[in-house]
Amino acid sequence: MFSPDSTLNISTLPASRNPRRRQRTHSDESTASLPPRNKKRQRSFLSQDTFSLPSGKAQDGEESMQGDRGNISLDGDASSRPKQLVVREKSRSSKRGGKGDGSLTLTKNDSYIVTQLPAFPDHFRTEKNARLHGAISFSHGYALAITATQAHIWSYTSPQSLPAESFSFELRNASRGLSDPLPIGSLTTRSASSTKPGLVIVMPVSGQIIYWESIASAATADLMRQRQQCVEGSIGSMLSGETIVQIVDAEPAGFVLNLSSGRVAHLRVRDPQGRPAVLVQVLRSYGASSGGGGLFSGLKYVLGGGGWRRDVVATRAGKSHVRGQRDVVIASAKGIFQCWDINWSGHVTLRGEFDAGQEIKASVGLDAQDEHSYEVLDFAFAPVTETSTDVSIAGPGSEISIIALVASRASNGPGYSLIELLLGNDRVKVQMVHKIRCYTTPVPAYVEWKPRIYLPEPAHTAFVVFDTAIVLASLKGPENTPESQLLFDSHKLPEPFEDAIDFRKDTDYHVVGCGVEDSYDKRMPRMNDETQLAKHPGCALLIKGYGVVRVAAFEPKENNDDIQQAIITAKSKIEQAVFYGANSENLLSFSGRSEVQFPQDEVEMAALTISDEITKTTSEFIPALNPSLDQQLRQKAIALQNLALHMKANYPPLSRLTKWKLIWNAERIASGRAIWKSYDSRLKHKDRKHSTLLSEIVVLMNEDLKSEPDPELGELDEVRQWFIKDIWRLENLVPWAWKAVVEVYNEGTKDHPTIMGLISEADDISLGALETAFRFRELNAEIYGLENEPLQDGILTSAYEGLPQFWTSTWPVAHTTKNLVDLAREMALSHWNKPLVEGGPDPKVVKKVGEENVRLVEMCCLTYIEHYRWCLAQEEDAMRNAGTHVKLAHFGVREVQMTKLSQLGLTDQAIALAEKYGEVKALVSLVGEEVGDLSLRIAEPGVSAEEAAFAENRLLRMQELITRYFGKFGDDWARALFINYIRQNRLGSLLDDNNEFQPYLSRFLRQDPRWSKLCWINDITGEHDYLNASNTLLDIAQKQEKDLWGKKVELSLGKLAWLAGHEGKQVSDEDIQDRVESINDELTLVEIQERVFNHMHPALYGAIDDKAALQLAMDQYGVETVKGKPALHQLLELGIASLVSHQTMNPEQLINVLTLMDSTSKTEDTHGEDSIAGQEFTLALQILRLSEKGMNKDRKALMEKIIWRRCMIKDDWEEINNTANMDDAAVEQTTHDTFLFRTLRDCHLAHVYKNISVPLLSPDQVLGAGCEPRELRPLFGTKEDLVEPVAHDLQAENDALQHYLDKGRLRDWYAGIVAAAQQNTTIGAEAMPIEEGEEVREAEAAVHEWVFPEAGVPDPGSGLVDVDGDVEMGE
């Protein structure tokens, strides 16, 4: 039973012709084979055209609908279809899509486009959770959607959201259980009597089949009339639990039904006479290679106990070789393929069976014994080429080429492959293997839609449709060219193009139906323009809850110049996400897949390129012209934000430099938009006869800073063109805001109203650019991945390393912003609070410019701070030095800018700004000025009570600010405040009552040596710290004091403070004594200098000033000794100049004066109160001894030798040595009168009475001292120009000594004089010149005429110290 020509159930309409007419038994039978008596009866209304394949009809037998297991489609694979078919409806357009079809582009790149078609039944939009599946027929132009109870058909290519052609009707006898499979169906070929296609519906559970010749009759509202218009039948007896899962369109030979048991049936909807009917027969595989029961056996095989297979996965109908005939191929999950020949008459023949399992396993890298790690999901007929074998089985020896979609689970993970198989001649040959790289997600077991593969003509791209994704894979390899061959040989030939299009994961959108849209090869001429073909090959998808989506692939480019032209790049993927993914209603996901990874450098370069193209308006997604430039800039801003969000969410973190470059472009767009809005608003209210500042800027700007517009292309608006093409160079526009005003002024426009208006526009440009940029940067840092950057007010506080210069703080931007601040302020001040007069500026504009100066000052601060911080972070010394210079300059500039805001009545704003940026100097000035003004206002006669109360309240607020700033700014505020007090001569009041901020005052005075003379007073009066006061006084005396009298007073007071500080404390007498002796040594040095001055004082009588006194002193004491020694003469003159002006002298200076000055008389009384005659060298040695603690050892030794040498050559030993005619007494007296004898005697006296040991140096020991310049450099420090001359003069001294040694027998005389000096020393000898060892030295003179160390600062002691006579230590 179940012979090929038997039917399980037949139901027809009333026959209009003889029902007993004999039908043909085979499609190949001809009239010539019939008996002669029957020839007259061969006429029928049926003709060969009745069974010809309709134009555009599915030829690969794509299933019209699959049940709950799968897919819905009304068109099959294009690879097996005739290339030129006659279109029966000429009125239907052959073009699909385009700008006029109402479709919405979901994504697009160089390889494909995805659009949402507008036509979709409204109830499917609202009932998104309803169960349905469907099919799409491109040849008919209709989509079919079936629910549990209804069928809906509509023209899916309609440009209207509610298509005019829409049919909907109830399905009778449909199973309504929630778990029951939905009805399945397919559109059929139009009948001769209707312009609409027919419809066949199959009930999966009951097997009931309903056929309508026209969908118009199927949608009739009258159910009784609907029933009369249809033909009903049944598949017959079905096995227990068996359901119909798929219907495959194989017209004109009918349809193929797949059952869940694995059985396959042939369904015809017309009888042999062409009348509507339902005829069903099960395909049996008798005669197959498997014996009596093949893969798809009938009921007899089932009842025979062999069971049946449940792994049928795909059925496809191939080409038709004879009218009314189709080839059908059926595939199992394990790669067994059966090829059938079916006919409109019901004749079916099994042509062959092929087991491709081993070949498939080998292709995907599996072991031959592995039967469970692969599965054939679907297949499609491979494209036919001029040299390939026909895809259909024309005869027993013919071959067929198919492309199978295979899922595998290899050791390297799951995946999918496209394997081209050549079936025929009892063998299977693998032609091509394409491993799908971009999609490896396993198919969930619960999904209804199973993966399908489609090859729409001209079959250059394969479409693999998953439940929530579509994969496009190119089947066209690169042309065989020398370039491609070289790439192949070097293993650099790119993989074929492929890409995965995913649905969004946060939605419930799923594919429930699909249809193929064939196109034609653009390189081949079309033979029949009436053939219905799409512009591009693709698939139309029916998406549950969303609508119909078309995925179309573009044809590969004809040339092969760029082999990588079809490769999906990082830039392409990112662009799709940026320009299409931002729409929350977009079906598609652009988050990327883990299988597709791009190199980090490619990703970053792509992001930067896209950002630049958006900014420069070179992106194909940004229109070059827009009626509203603001809308274009807004579109750019949105695109840049989408880019940043997408990169952060879907890619590894970008490099820090890339992030900053991305946000800089976005800042430019945001700032440009702010500037344009201001400009656009000004255009609305400005007389068009007068140009705006922005238009002047664009004209004046250098050519290399802008793109020149081309009038021939209609680019007439230069300002608009600049914003379109050159906004990426916005940093060049900001400096011109000030430059343009200056240029216009220099060109002759000098009237104040015009200039004030231009300044107002310049403010708008500068503020619009900078304020917007800094605010944007701070608010959007997180979006760009910069949330961890140390940003404050839109600028970095640190971490500038590795970044290029910020566009907001280039030197032109910072410098011209500062200039604009000053220009705007001065112009506003010149007209501030003045009424409108003829020829004067508008007071409103003046007020605007003045009030905006606060914001301009802040922008100036930000740009300068950002600029110098960046410079200081660079590696180049020159750049860091420039940063330091700019920083110091800015601090001075901003203090003035903030302070002058008070002249515009903006004191509160200025105070707030100064407080924000910690500009304490400006704060002190502003608050101090306000306090002074308020105090004067309160004390002003006749002031009203209300004004006085207001002033008092405000004064109280200022005083509160002063107190608060101590806590907020600490010592910085205190320093600025106290310096201001000093400059205003108000420090006395500060020292009198400073309990509130005494710690700040003490730290301020102690931190800076300039305030040391105030510090010791505060230490005593405010801190009662006598020890610190003593240390301060002594430090002043030793390091700062230039006045001799002041040094003496400071040493005396320091000594008293030291003793007072240790009073009552447990300190050893030895420690106190050492300190006191050190101070006494300093006082002794002062006393020696005073004695030297007193010695010279008689020669200074009559001098009118210090210059005259110096001249008199040099005439008296600077003649003989330094004669012929200019360098020593200069040293002596410098020393005497300090001496006569009562300046403090260092030990070397004082020694030089004592040893180089001329002596008035050797016999002069040396015991006089002021005379030092004969004691010069003794005092010099004493100075050396008193200073030895602070003097380098080598330095001291050198000075000691120089003193002794000068002492030895002070007398003429050649003359002394001539003792002819002289008695002993005369010779002895002569030697006793020498400076050498007196000095030696004084040294012996000091040793005997004071236990002071003074080294005695012989002439030989002092020879050569100081004659080398290297010995002198430590003495002169920076005075390098004196080293050589002094060394020369010292050599002259050395020569004199050598002369006396040679001619005056000084060596011999020295030994005798030393012995004579020792003998001359007695207990009652003369006392020492300066008394030593005093325990306490009384303080000298009162404090007066104290010169402050810093010029221009008033005397700090004025009014603070009043000491008469001796200074007494306070409590």
Side-chain angles (χ1 to χ4, degrees):
M1 63 180 182
F2 299 112
S3 62
D5 59 348
S6 64
T7 59
L8 298 179
N9 194 343
I10 300 176
S11 177
T12 63
L13 290 173
S16 59
R17 301 183 67 87
N18 186 356
R20 294 182 295 176
R21 177 177 175 146
R22 183 174 58 84
Q23 65 182 15
R24 297 184 182 184
T25 58
H26 195 276
S27 61
D28 292 336
E29 293 179 354
S30 64
T31 56
S33 63
L34 297 177
R37 64 177 182 272
N38 293 332
K39 290 183 179 180
K40 294 182 179 180
R41 303 184 62 188
Q42 297 307 306
R43 295 189 59 192
S44 170
F45 71 94
L46 297 176
S47 65
Q48 295 289 354
D49 291 340
T50 303
F51 300 102
S52 65
L53 190 65
S55 171
K57 191 62 182 175
Q59 292 198 39
D60 63 349
E62 172 56 40
E63 72 280 9
S64 293
M65 183 168 290
Q66 186 171 339
D68 287 356
R69 286 180 56 193
N71 314 351
I72 300 173
S73 178
L74 300 182
D75 291 308
D77 185 75
S79 62
S80 60
R81 301 175 193 170
K83 294 191 178 294
Q84 302 297 336
L85 301 176
V86 177
V87 179
R88 294 188 176 182
E89 279 193 285
K90 296 183 180 180
S91 60
R92 188 176 300 277
S93 171
S94 62
K95 295 183 179 180
R96 301 292 173 182
K99 297 181 179 179
D101 62 355
S103 61
L104 173 65
T105 301
L106 302 180
T107 189
K108 180 184 179 182
N109 59 24
D110 292 339
S111 301
Y112 60 83
I113 181 172
V114 182
T115 56
Q116 180 187 15
L117 302 184
F120 193 53
D122 208 31
H123 54 276
F124 285 143
R125 300 180 191 272
T126 57
E127 299 177 8
K128 294 185 178 182
N129 295 325
R131 293 178 62 211
L132 81 153
H133 57 188
I136 296 177
S137 174
F138 175 63
S139 60
H140 296 120
Y142 288 97
L144 168 64
I146 301 177
T147 66
T149 58
Q150 290 182 322
H152 302 270
I153 304 171
W154 71 95
S155 175
Y156 80 96
T157 59
S158 172
Q160 301 173 354
S161 59
L162 296 177
E165 286 191 309
S166 179
F167 308 91
S168 178
F169 53 91
E170 296 288 334
L171 296 179
R172 295 176 289 108
N173 302 325
S175 176
R176 300 177 181 270
L178 294 178
S179 60
D180 292 338
L182 296 175
I184 57 179
S186 173
L187 296 176
T188 66
T189 306
R190 302 178 184 87
S191 66
S193 60
S194 175
T195 60
K196 306 298 180 185
L199 174 65
V200 59
I201 297 292
V202 179
M203 302 301 175
V205 177
S206 64
Q208 182 183 6
I209 300 171
I210 309 172
Y211 168 65
W212 290 270
E213 279 193 291
S214 173
I215 57 175
S217 61
T220 303
D222 186 350
L223 293 180
M224 292 300 297
R225 185 179 177 187
Q226 182 188 94
R227 187 167 185 176
Q228 293 176 1
Q229 296 292 334
C230 71
V231 177
E232 297 186 16
S234 173
I235 196 172
S237 299
M238 297 180 65
L239 303 178
S240 176
E242 187 178 39
T243 59
I244 303 171
V245 297
Q246 186 181 26
I247 180 171
V248 179
D249 184 356
E251 288 194 296
F255 299 87
V256 178
L257 303 178
N258 288 346
L259 282 69
S260 60
S261 63
R263 297 195 297 162
V264 180
H266 178 207
L267 167 64
R268 292 173 291 149
V269 294
R270 290 187 182 275
D271 63 11
Q273 288 75 34
R275 294 171 299 184
V278 175
L279 308 172
V280 182
Q281 60 181 332
V282 176
L283 276 63
R284 292 184 58 199
S285 56
Y286 57 85
S289 60
S290 58
L295 174 62
F296 309 103
S297 61
L299 182 59
K300 178 179 179 180
Y301 175 71
V302 172
L303 297 177
W308 61 87
R309 306 189 179 210
R310 298 177 178 270
D311 60 351
V312 174
V313 294
T315 300
R316 293 288 181 112
K319 269 183 93 170
S320 174
H321 302 283
V322 181
R323 290 172 179 169
Q325 176 270 342
R326 291 294 290 275
D327 294 326
V328 174
V329 177
I330 305 172
S332 73
K334 295 306 175 184
I336 299 177
F337 297 88
Q338 283 192 345
C339 305
W340 293 81
D341 179 0
I342 65 174
N343 192 277
W344 63 271
S345 63
H347 181 79
V348 295
T349 303
L350 177 63
R351 292 294 183 85
E353 179 174 303
F354 305 90
D355 187 351
Q358 295 299 325
E359 287 76 8
I360 291 175
K361 286 187 285 185
S363 299
V364 297
L366 298 175
D367 295 333
Q369 293 77 22
D370 192 344
E371 298 291 337
H372 305 288
S373 297
Y374 77 98
E375 179 183 6
V376 176
L377 301 176
D378 192 20
F379 73 93
F381 292 101
V384 180
T385 63
E386 296 179 358
T387 60
S388 64
T389 306
D390 200 340
V391 297
S392 64
I393 304 175
S398 61
E399 295 179 332
I400 182 171
S401 181
I402 64 171
I403 295 180
L405 173 63
V406 178
S408 61
R409 294 179 295 278
S411 59
N412 57 353
Y416 301 94
S417 299
L418 301 179
I419 304 176
E420 184 177 359
L421 300 172
L422 186 62
L423 309 177
N425 298 326
D426 297 328
R427 66 187 179 92
V428 177
K429 182 179 179 182
V430 177
Q431 299 286 85
M432 176 271 297
V433 178
H434 180 109
K435 175 72 174 179
I436 294 179
R437 308 176 304 278
C438 63
Y439 190 90
T440 60
T441 304
V443 179
Y446 58 85
V447 298
E448 297 180 356
W449 177 270
K450 300 302 181 182
R452 305 306 305 271
I453 178 174
Y454 303 98
L455 297 176
E457 289 285 359
H460 54 69
T461 303
F463 291 72
V464 182
V465 181
F466 293 89
D467 179 52
T468 58
I470 306 100
V471 173
L472 280 71
S474 175
L475 300 180
K476 182 179 180 295
E479 296 182 8
N480 189 13
T481 63
E483 181 183 1
S484 63
Q485 185 62 41
L486 288 174
L487 291 174
F488 178 81
D489 295 340
S490 60
H491 305 286
K492 296 182 180 179
L493 188 66
E495 296 286 346
F497 156 77
E498 65 176 47
D499 195 15
I501 304 171
D502 278 298
F503 296 174
R504 289 172 52 190
K505 300 298 187 293
D506 57 347
T507 64
D508 193 30
Y509 298 139
H510 301 277
V511 176
V512 294
C514 182
V516 173
E517 296 186 337
D518 289 327
S519 182
Y520 63 95
D521 193 338
K522 304 299 189 298
R523 297 170 296 179
M524 303 294 293
R526 292 190 63 182
M527 297 178 62
N528 189 346
D529 292 338
E530 294 182 351
T531 303
Q532 176 146 323
L533 296 173
K535 184 177 181 181
H536 302 289
C539 290
L541 308 177
L542 181 59
I543 311 297
K544 176 184 174 182
Y546 192 80
V548 179
V549 172
R550 173 182 289 145
V551 183
F554 300 138
E555 291 76 8
K557 296 180 181 179
E558 294 183 4
N559 62 70
N560 199 38
D561 294 337
D562 186 4
I563 296 180
Q564 298 188 3
Q565 61 187 359
I567 299 299
I568 294 297
T569 62
K571 180 176 182 289
S572 174
K573 299 297 288 185
I574 296 172
E575 278 182 329
Q576 293 179 69
V578 169
F579 295 102
Y580 299 109
N583 184 0
S584 60
E585 297 182 358
N586 196 321
L587 165 73
L588 307 181
S589 169
F590 298 92
S591 59
R593 299 191 60 83
S594 60
E595 299 91 341
V596 181
Q597 298 294 329
F598 299 100
Q600 183 70 7
D601 56 347
E602 181 184 351
V603 171
E604 297 200 4
M605 181 58 66
L608 291 175
T609 302
I610 294 171
S611 178
D612 289 342
E613 289 179 353
I614 293 172
T615 309
K616 298 177 182 179
T617 326
T618 58
S619 171
E620 62 178 300
F621 301 96
I622 301 294
L625 285 177
N626 193 311
S628 172
L629 184 60
D630 179 63
Q631 287 301 315
Q632 186 191 61
L633 294 174
R634 180 176 180 273
Q635 184 180 1
K636 289 183 178 182
I638 293 174
L640 291 173
Q641 184 182 53
N642 293 341
L643 173 62
L645 291 172
H646 177 71
M647 299 305 297
K648 185 177 182 181
N650 299 285
Y651 290 91
L654 302 175
S655 66
R656 183 167 180 253
L657 177 59
T658 300
K659 294 176 185 177
W660 275 107
K661 287 184 177 180
L662 292 177
I663 198 173
W664 286 338
N665 275 346
E667 291 168 7
R668 291 183 176 100
I669 296 300
S671 297
R673 190 178 178 200
I675 296 173
W676 174 260
K677 285 183 176 180
S678 174
Y679 171 74
D680 191 52
S681 176
R682 194 175 296 275
L683 286 180
K684 294 177 182 178
H685 304 91
K686 190 175 183 67
D687 185 356
R688 296 199 175 189
K689 295 181 180 179
H690 301 282
S691 62
T692 62
L693 179 66
L694 194 56
S695 61
E696 292 287 345
I697 290 175
V698 174
V699 172
L700 293 171
M701 193 179 294
N702 299 338
E703 294 181 358
D704 57 342
L705 303 180
K706 62 182 178 180
S707 300
E708 288 295 331
D710 189 349
E712 295 184 0
L713 298 178
E715 297 175 350
L716 305 178
D717 190 339
E718 292 185 280
V719 175
R720 192 177 295 267
Q721 287 300 314
W722 191 93
F723 276 89
I724 293 173
K725 296 181 178 181
D726 298 306
I727 197 171
W728 61 278
R729 297 188 280 196
L730 184 60
E731 57 268 31
N732 297 326
L733 179 70
V734 177
W736 275 97
W738 170 78
K739 290 180 181 179
V741 177
V742 176
E743 288 291 335
V744 171
Y745 180 85
N746 292 336
E747 289 177 0
T749 304
K750 303 183 183 300
D751 60 291
H752 283 201
T754 301
I755 297 299
M756 188 67 73
L758 293 177
I759 292 176
S760 176
E761 292 185 56
D763 285 359
D764 294 341
I765 293 172
S766 184
L767 292 173
L770 298 176
E771 273 188 341
T772 306
F774 291 131
R775 182 169 57 249
F776 181 93
R777 188 181 300 167
E778 191 163 26
L779 295 177
N780 295 275
E782 184 176 358
I783 295 177
Y784 288 83
L786 299 170
E787 61 272 14
N788 295 323
E789 294 285 339
L791 280 173
Q792 183 178 3
D793 296 327
I795 65 174
L796 289 174
T797 58
S798 60
Y800 285 85
E801 294 78 6
L803 295 177
Q805 191 166 37
F806 287 57
W807 75 270
T808 49
S809 58
T810 62
W811 177 243
V813 170
H815 183 62
T816 55
T817 302
K818 176 257 180 188
N819 291 343
L820 181 60
V821 170
D822 297 338
L823 175 63
R825 182 190 64 246
E826 296 306 318
M827 281 295 296
L829 282 174
S830 63
H831 299 280
W832 195 250
N833 290 331
K834 294 182 180 179
L836 177 62
V837 296
E838 185 177 356
D842 188 345
K844 294 181 180 179
V845 178
V846 174
K847 183 178 180 182
K848 172 184 177 294
V849 171
E851 292 177 348
E852 286 176 343
N853 205 250
V854 178
R855 295 159 59 196
L856 275 179
V857 170
E858 183 168 13
M859 292 304 102
C860 182
C861 290
L862 291 176
T863 56
Y864 263 87
I865 293 172
E866 188 175 65
H867 180 81
Y868 73 67
R869 283 177 179 173
W870 180 84
C871 290
L872 292 173
Q874 304 311 301
E875 296 180 356
E876 298 84 359
D877 292 338
M879 191 64 71
R880 290 199 299 269
N881 293 336
T884 302
H885 174 75
V886 172
K887 179 180 180 179
L888 296 176
H890 168 62
F891 286 167
V893 166
R894 76 181 185 185
E895 177 187 358
V896 175
Q897 290 176 338
M898 294 176 182
T899 303
K900 287 193 173 183
L901 288 174
S902 62
Q903 300 177 18
L904 294 170
L906 304 172
T907 302
D908 288 343
Q909 295 88 331
I911 291 175
L913 195 60
E915 182 178 347
K916 179 178 181 179
Y917 290 96
E919 183 49 61
V920 292
K921 292 182 180 179
L923 274 178
V924 168
S925 179
L926 291 167
V927 173
E929 181 182 357
E930 189 70 4
V931 168
D933 291 344
L934 291 172
S935 299
L936 292 175
R937 190 183 308 175
I938 294 172
E940 184 178 348
V943 65
S944 65
E946 183 178 354
E947 291 179 352
F950 173 80
E952 289 174 356
N953 290 334
R954 185 166 176 80
L955 181 61
L956 180 61
R957 178 174 172 268
M958 293 296 108
Q959 293 171 345
E960 291 174 350
L961 283 179
I962 294 174
T963 303
R964 182 166 65 86
Y965 290 156
F966 274 106
K968 183 172 183 178
F969 299 111
D971 291 330
D972 292 337
W973 164 256
R975 185 182 303 107
L977 180 65
F978 297 150
I979 290 176
N980 190 60
Y981 268 84
I982 294 173
R983 289 174 177 171
Q984 295 181 2
N985 295 326
R986 298 173 55 196
L987 192 59
S989 60
L990 189 64
L991 292 173
D992 288 342
D993 185 13
N994 60 358
N995 293 331
E996 187 176 358
F997 37 81
Q998 177 63 45
Y1000 296 100
L1001 178 61
S1002 297
R1003 284 197 296 272
F1004 163 72
L1005 296 176
R1006 290 174 179 177
Q1007 286 175 356
D1008 195 333
R1010 292 182 300 167
W1011 320 125
S1012 297
K1013 291 184 178 181
L1014 299 174
C1015 180
W1016 74 269
I1017 300 175
N1018 178 72
D1019 287 338
I1020 293 176
T1021 60
E1023 298 289 343
H1024 304 290
D1025 187 347
Y1026 295 100
L1027 289 179
N1028 195 75
S1030 173
N1031 292 330
T1032 302
L1033 283 165
L1034 295 176
D1035 189 73
I1036 295 171
Q1038 294 169 355
K1039 299 179 181 179
Q1040 298 183 29
E1041 189 58 68
K1042 302 299 181 183
D1043 181 74
L1044 184 63
W1045 178 85
K1047 181 176 183 177
K1048 184 175 182 180
V1049 171
E1050 288 156 359
L1051 289 171
S1052 302
L1053 291 176
K1055 181 178 177 181
L1056 289 174
W1058 175 262
L1059 295 174
H1062 287 89
E1063 185 177 1
K1065 295 183 179 179
Q1066 295 182 355
V1067 182
S1068 66
D1069 293 339
E1070 183 178 354
D1071 293 339
I1072 295 177
Q1073 186 64 29
D1074 289 344
R1075 183 63 169 168
V1076 170
E1077 287 183 359
S1078 175
I1079 299 173
N1080 287 339
D1081 289 346
E1082 294 284 344
L1083 287 170
T1084 301
L1085 291 173
V1086 172
E1087 186 174 343
I1088 291 175
Q1089 183 176 340
E1090 289 179 337
R1091 290 190 61 188
V1092 175
F1093 174 78
N1094 292 335
H1095 174 77
M1096 291 186 179
H1097 189 263
L1100 308 181
Y1101 287 130
I1104 59 176
D1105 55 18
D1106 289 344
K1107 185 176 181 180
L1110 173 62
Q1111 185 63 44
L1112 292 174
M1114 288 299 296
D1115 292 343
Q1116 180 73 20
Y1117 296 100
V1119 179
E1120 295 297 332
T1121 305
V1122 294
K1123 185 177 182 179
K1125 303 180 184 71
L1128 296 181
H1129 183 279
Q1130 183 180 356
L1131 290 180
L1132 177 61
E1133 187 175 18
L1134 291 174
I1136 293 178
S1138 298
L1139 188 69
V1140 300
S1141 60
H1142 301 287
Q1143 295 182 11
T1144 58
M1145 301 172 65
N1146 61 41
E1148 287 87 350
Q1149 286 180 312
L1150 195 53
I1151 288 173
N1152 282 330
V1153 170
L1154 286 168
T1155 58
L1156 294 176
M1157 62 185 289
D1158 295 336
S1159 178
T1160 55
S1161 173
K1162 299 179 181 178
T1163 58
E1164 187 177 349
D1165 183 12
T1166 60
H1167 299 284
E1169 182 179 356
D1170 298 326
S1171 176
I1172 61 170
Q1175 302 179 16
E1176 292 91 334
F1177 296 100
T1178 303
L1179 292 174
L1181 290 172
Q1182 189 175 6
I1183 292 171
L1184 196 62
R1185 182 184 64 81
L1186 294 173
S1187 308
E1188 62 183 353
K1189 292 182 180 179
M1191 187 177 294
N1192 179 271
K1193 182 180 179 181
D1194 295 336
R1195 188 174 181 180
K1196 176 178 178 294
L1198 176 62
M1199 290 303 301
E1200 194 171 37
K1201 291 178 180 179
I1202 291 174
I1203 293 172
W1204 280 109
R1205 186 174 61 197
R1206 289 176 181 173
C1207 177
M1208 293 174 185
I1209 64 175
K1210 189 73 172 177
D1211 298 290
D1212 187 350
W1213 289 99
E1214 188 175 1
E1215 180 182 350
I1216 296 172
N1217 185 57
N1218 186 8
T1219 58
N1221 300 320
M1222 295 180 65
D1223 57 16
D1224 286 345
V1227 173
E1228 184 179 13
Q1229 183 62 42
T1230 300
T1231 57
H1232 285 190
D1233 290 339
T1234 63
F1235 285 94
L1236 178 60
F1237 177 84
R1238 294 189 178 192
T1239 304
L1240 290 171
R1241 184 194 60 184
D1242 291 343
C1243 290
H1244 285 296
L1245 287 172
H1247 175 68
V1248 172
Y1249 291 100
K1250 304 300 181 181
N1251 197 27
I1252 299 174
S1253 178
V1254 179
L1256 305 181
L1257 301 182
S1258 67
D1260 291 324
Q1261 288 177 302
V1262 301
L1263 270 174
C1267 296
E1268 295 294 333
R1270 57 181 177 80
E1271 297 181 82
L1272 300 179
R1273 285 190 175 89
L1275 294 178
F1276 292 96
T1278 58
K1279 297 179 180 179
E1280 185 69 24
D1281 57 326
L1282 289 176
V1283 173
E1284 293 286 347
V1286 171
H1288 180 271
D1289 289 353
L1290 291 179
Q1291 182 61 48
E1293 289 184 349
N1294 196 66
D1295 294 341
L1297 177 62
Q1298 187 64 49
H1299 176 75
Y1300 290 143
L1301 289 174
D1302 296 339
K1303 301 298 183 180
R1305 300 172 62 198
L1306 179 58
R1307 186 177 291 105
D1308 298 330
W1309 282 108
Y1310 176 78
I1313 292 175
V1314 170
Q1318 291 176 344
Q1319 294 175 1
N1320 189 259
T1321 303
T1322 60
I1323 299 300
E1326 298 175 347
M1328 292 289 291
I1330 300 178
E1331 296 296 329
E1332 297 284 325
E1334 296 182 3
E1335 293 183 0
V1336 179
R1337 186 177 297 273
E1338 295 292 335
E1340 303 287 340
V1343 179
H1344 66 82
E1345 197 176 354
W1346 198 348
V1347 180
F1348 200 69
E1350 182 173 283
V1353 182
D1355 177 7
S1358 177
L1360 301 178
V1361 180
D1362 186 11
V1363 182
D1364 295 326
D1366 295 337
V1367 179
E1368 296 183 356
M1369 180 182 64
E1371 296 180 357

